[in-house]
Amino acid sequence: MESIQYIGEHLLPGKLGHIFILLSFVSSLLAVAAYYFATKHIGTTSYASWRRIGRVGYSLHGISVFAIIGTMFYIMLQQYYEYHYVWEHVSEDLDFKYIFSAFWEGQEGSFLLWMFWHVILGGILMFSAKNWEAPVMAILALIQVFIGSMILGLYFDFGLSEFRLGSNPFMLLRDLKEAPIFAQADYLEKIKGTGLNPLLQNYWMTIHPPTLFLGFASTSIPFCYAIAGLWTKQHRAWLKPVLPWALFSGAILGTGILMGGAWAYEALSFGGYWAWDPVENMSLVPWIILLAGIHTNLIANSTGYSIKSSYIFYLLTFLMIVYSTFLTRSGVLGETSVHAFTEMGLEVQLISFIVFFLLLSVVLFFWQMRNIPTPKTEESAASREFWMFIGALVLLFSAVLITGSTSLPVYNKIAALFDPGFEGKTITDPITHYNKYQMWIAVFIALLSGVAQFLRYSAVNWKQQAPKVMKRLGILAAITVGLTFLTNYWLDIYAWQYLVLLFFCLFSVVANLDYLINFTRLNLKVAGSSLAHLGFGLMVVGSIASGLNKRHISSNPFATRGLLEEELIKKNVVLFKGVPLKMSGYDVTYVKDEFQGNNRLYEINYKKKSPAGEVIEEFNLFPTALYNNVVTKVAAYNPDTKHSLTEDLFTHIASIPKVEADAEFAKSFEDSLNYINYPISGEEPIYILDTILALDTMVIRKFSAELVSTTKHPESEEYEAQEGDLAIGAKIIIKNVEDLKDQWTVDPIFLVRKGQAFQFPGQINEASLRVNLSPASFPYFFTPEEQLDYELISFKLGDKLRFKDYEIEFSGVNKTPDHPDYIAQPKDIAVSANLLVRDTRSGETKTAAPVYLIRGKNQGSFKDVLDDWRLHFNFESIDPESGSIKIRVAKNEQARPKLVLSIAKKSFRTDYVVLEAIIFPGINFFWLGAILMMVGLGMSIVHRRNLAH
Amino acid sequence: MKKIHIVGMIMIAIAIVMISTAADDLSTYADFQTARQSNSLVKIAGVLSKDKEMQYDPAIDPNYFSFFVKDSKGEEQKVVLYGSKPQDFELSEQIVITGKMKDGDFIASDMLLKCPSKYKDEEIYIKAAES
């Protein structure tokens, strides 16, 4: 193929970017090698020089990563659409504040985000890890090698097959897509970016991914320490410095996961914060295993037990992170997940990533297993470490169960490899499935976390302490029973399993609170663990409350539990604009809606009234319809929530009329409306027949339309007059002939503005009629001058002259004339003649005031028309000397043209929303508990860091 | 035998019990034929029959949406979702519905749509009923 010289492309940044990618990859390899030899030479003189090379290598790697990211931001900010990544994630209308979101929306960007955090964490380790620097950094750099390979973008041609290593974010659009447009040298002028998914244009997308990826990246550090411990055979020494890192990772990863939940709850319309989606599960699992590791690490630090398990848990945490990366990025989850990435051809690389580090861990562990110290004696059943270890096992158990179920698509894939006819299995009802098992895990964890605090490491003094501890736990249990009844009075839990769970969680809250106040004496240094455990209990209480007792108030107010099958519980109501609807004690009104950018805000007013009718509570919620970037179509509906201490009121729009949601449909709908023209005069009504087809019957409705008045200066809510407008309007009364109580007034307007025609129809929702004023109505309003046969009449002040059946009196002039078409300018000389016109047959009198104008060298006139008598008056001239004026008068003798209405039947109302409103009781306990848990973890970091030094 | 071994064995025993009960939660993707014979929830993967009528008129009932799905065997069946019609429903490439047959209609309690899109494989997840 002959090559084309493309115009306007910026190829330099892409080339630079790819050089940085290669540099970052090579320098990470250098760091691995140098730190490897440094580790080999610890204690010798060459250690320092190897370490220096390692540091240089890793720093070079870090700089290259920053340079890649910098280059990517540069091409994104410059909107160089010749690059595929820019074209896919950026668009002209993208707000600058979402540039970060656009950066990590794609796979390559999120790999870079992950690498970025490894660079930062590695930098901290270089300065703080002391003796551990060399082995830990060697492993971290090795991880960077693998992640870096994902964006390498190298092609290997093996003749028959070609292999691609990684996906380079600087690929050109024309290299990745085939389209005829690339045959044109100036294709760049014709393409636009597709832009960021509107669903992701919110602040959650700005804060959630970096937090989560810092969480992912931070799990590497305990992993690196564990490998380093095995490698250097220092099985005890790594346990103290690793603990603060593990706690940090637990806090950040936990926060990242919770942010995902908060995002789902606050900004998406799923109506909950956790759905046991595979992607959610696979970030939860490493976190659970990490927590197990933290517990065995604490045991190991205090007693020397559980060193092996600490190794296993920390190794497993990172391996699960890599496994989760594989699941979410390989496309294997397919139809089971809401937010998995699509395939990118990285499967082989992702699998090698897991397999390599799995083998490394397994080989090192079994090589060293016999050397890992274990105390000879068994731990006492009354010791804290025994129950903590049981707790860690329960956590592992939970992780295994979740992983097992979530990996179902992986088994299916493997099974299908061996047996092509294999039919994939799937979990019919995932949420019930996971809840069923995990609730018993929660029961055990809550019990253990409540009791274990009161036990001592190595069961010191247990014989003397036992009666006291037992008594205290007894009292706490009794208090919890009372509290459970009180809570259940509020929640009304119907299944005994949940009552058991509630009891144990409350027990954990009570016991940890007691421990916090009476044993740690609120000493913040050591309060971390009690606070975190208290938080866990509270969190589960919150999820029981909000999960079991969430109720739809948007309909079925009388649906009692059990009477209706689950799927029959109706969730939505239709809310017409301005029409209040009663919903579970609230009067709910759709007040109005307005656009803010591509976001359409609906104002929904909630009012609670006392029996006397006074408003005792009132608030507005603003659920939104989010349109696509060009505002032609709804992309998603986002909720709004009223938060209060005891419950949340969650409101979201389930649907809006299709003509409102889709501009293309709206146009085709308007086109499909069958408008029929009805000429109408003021004298007699016209009739409209509408046939309604019901299932097996036909109903014919008959409406009459009467013309009340017409105007050349219409006004309405939608139409605001501007200078130069040519507008006509009419007032029509439409009646249901069968039932005259049904009558409506419409004011359709037809407007010509700057050469364009606009229609403002009148809509009658009850009759599904839409009334337009047809442009064919113009002859009704305006008479062509050539149709008129003018007669020139000369008046002196006070003259009464006869014209046909009328007597016209010139009663004076007005030097500041008021004529609708005349807009005064300075230096105008303008007068109007006051003409009293009397119909000699009826005796009725009307006034006409045509205007005579001298503006500069031009002179002209504005005519006045007495529409009903069809008389036209033109002010011809003034003779200042004699004081006489000349008026041209004409009567239009032809039959008056009729007004033309175009009326469409079956035009349904479009001012409603379909609303879903849910009350989540006690959900704030969930968030409060979650925050306490993270704060507890955070406080422990400080405490354990001090102990490690 | 150490205590921890006893605990370990108890856990393994529980795990075996759990796994055997969890098997009840699993199923293969069914078709309408099996759904008719079964009385319990089934999951069906299929495609929307675009030429058949779709019914959703909030003005009449905002909680009634019916459409036709063609299952893997090619059988077409009317499906009813007691909820609102999801955004971009017509564009869906694949539909996974969970539910059961009732009076000749398949009543869906849960629906997952897979939509082709210019974005990442963005899917829309609809919960028909609380779980």
Side-chain angles (χ1 to χ4, degrees), chain A residues 190-207:
Chain A
K190 291 165 187 162
I191 57 168
K192 276 182 186 163
T194 52
L196 182 64
N197 184 340
L199 273 175
L200 301 178
Q201 293 183 17
N202 54 48
Y203 63 93
W204 292 105
M205 183 63 187
T206 315
I207 59 170

Side-chain angles (χ1 to χ4, degrees), chain A residues 21 47 97 111 123 127 170 172 225-226 290 295 307 311 333 357 372-373 486 518 529 542 583 597 615 654 658 682 880:
Chain A
I21 289 174
Y47 167 70
K97 66 187 176 200
F111 275 127
F127 291 103
F170 297 103
L172 294 180
Y225 267 100
L290 180 66
H295 284 85
I307 298 179
Y311 271 125
L333 290 177
F357 283 100
I372 299 170
L486 274 180
N518 295 317
S529 93
M583 267 169 31
V615 176
K658 203 170 173 194

